[in-house]
Amino acid sequence: MRGTMRVVEDGTLSAAPQQQHRRQIHELARRLSDSHNRSRDALSLVPSENRLSPLAQLPLQFDFHNRYFFNEDHDPDFWQFRGGESISDIETEVAYSSLRALSDAPFVNLRPVSGLSAMLIAIAGMGGDPGSTVVCIDPASGGHYATAAVIKRFGFVPAAISVEAGAVDLDGLRKILSSQNVSLIFLDLANSLHLLDVAAVAACLAEHSPHTLLHIDASHTLGLILGGQAPNPLDLGATSFGGSTHKTFPGPHKGVLFTRLPHVSRLIKDAQRVLVSSHHFGATLALGLAAREFEHFGPAYARQVVVNAKRLGAELAQRGFDVARRTDGYTDNHMVWVHVGDHAATNKLAGTLAEAGIRVNVQTENEMPNVSGSVFRLGTNEVTFEGASETSMALIAEAFVAARDGAVDRAAMNHSQARQAFDSPYFYADAGWRPAESSKRI
């Protein structure tokens, strides 16, 4: 039996503290499990998140998640880190072949560990010589908040351009091209109800600055592009595109970059080698499995995402909510913006919805282009992936009404009805792929 002196001698606990420690561990595990179960039942309308399918979740629950893998060429003399030999082809063959097919790009870099990681690699690799100008989208027009700062930290000169209704200010762009040495146009439209007009920018570069590279950060619309619901930027004249893989694309927290040009692939690879060490092997395996499923489900899923977003906007507007409008509707992608009121009112309604099992994304004052005050930035990507149809959008809108009235129970009932109305999900829902529970207990 361990005595209290053993705590001092070897760091172990005596019987009473050991029981207390065990109870604490059990409580942490219980809290995690309870929160996980609530998340599984919740309806998430957050446009920058998505679920993983049961198949794609597997690598994140297995040992590979915590291992390195660098032997992309399967060199028998280069297994510096063992353990991935039997399943590494899920990265080197499945992931690459599926992503090449989906993007119609022969060169795929799946080493970025996030969307921002992909941004760092793209700007560092294609930004040109120190002091060159890199153009990005003004955050006031929906550009990513971090892009200009990243450009500056790499020794380049940031220049911001505005975007209106998906169209870049071409007059402003021509002025920048004529007055500065622009190496890269990095179009990072993060908040928009419109798809970006890439072709017009590519035509402008072809006429005024053909040496300038054009990269499209398609983090939010990647699933729509790979699912054929939005145009492929490479078909429209972009040099490269990419971004995060967990928004409209239902993959893990990773990043990916695509190009059809060998020399651009080399620029990206050279930057990636020094900016990313571990590419998170388990997450990369998950990306490969998600991409393989997406080859089958992607087109139908991407179409339904947009159909649902348009329907959700219309249903909310019909019920008196202040929904941001385009000239010809509410959205042409996965996003719907709803102005609720001041920040306190917005947070209160978000909390009521969360209590009823519906999660929304709150954007505070001046964070969204052309919208004043706090807003809900909604997305239909995750609920669609789970099988939501237009019928579910109407029921979700009813839940918003109930939450606005303070009727949490009624909103929760609408939540349940919306989920019950789901069709089949856009993935293989085979429970047999779930890992067996360990026989060992805490």
Side-chain angles (χ1 to χ4, degrees), residues 240-368:
S240 55
F241 79 101
S244 60
T245 58
H246 59 268
K247 295 180 173 66
T248 51
F249 187 83
H253 275 245
K254 278 280 294 176
V256 67
L257 295 165
F258 305 100
T259 185
R260 293 171 180 165
L261 304 174
H263 73 283
V264 172
S265 175
R266 175 49 55 190
L267 292 173
I268 292 171
K269 183 70 172 178
D270 288 346
Q272 168 256 300
R273 287 182 188 277
V274 297
L275 291 175
V276 176
S277 173
S278 171
H279 65 318
H280 299 179
F281 186 34
T284 307
L285 297 176
L287 176 59
L289 296 174
R292 183 53 56 92
E293 280 187 307
F294 200 82
E295 285 188 272
H296 176 71
F297 292 102
Y301 157 78
R303 284 193 300 272
Q304 193 63 44
V305 166
V306 178
V307 168
N308 283 347
K310 293 177 185 293
R311 179 67 180 271
L312 179 61
E315 294 286 350
L316 289 170
Q318 288 173 13
R319 289 162 176 80
F321 286 93
D322 183 6
V323 183
R325 286 189 62 89
R326 296 159 30 94
T327 55
D328 57 348
Y330 297 99
T331 185
D332 64 5
N333 53 49
H334 63 304
M335 285 195 198
V336 177
W337 300 346
V338 182
H339 179 256
V340 177
D342 61 22
H343 188 57
T346 305
N347 270 340
K348 180 180 179 180
L349 182 54
T352 304
L353 286 165
E355 191 176 349
I358 297 175
R359 298 177 178 179
V360 299
N361 179 219
V362 175
Q363 298 288 304
T364 56
E365 185 79 30
N366 300 323
E367 287 188 330
M368 304 295 286

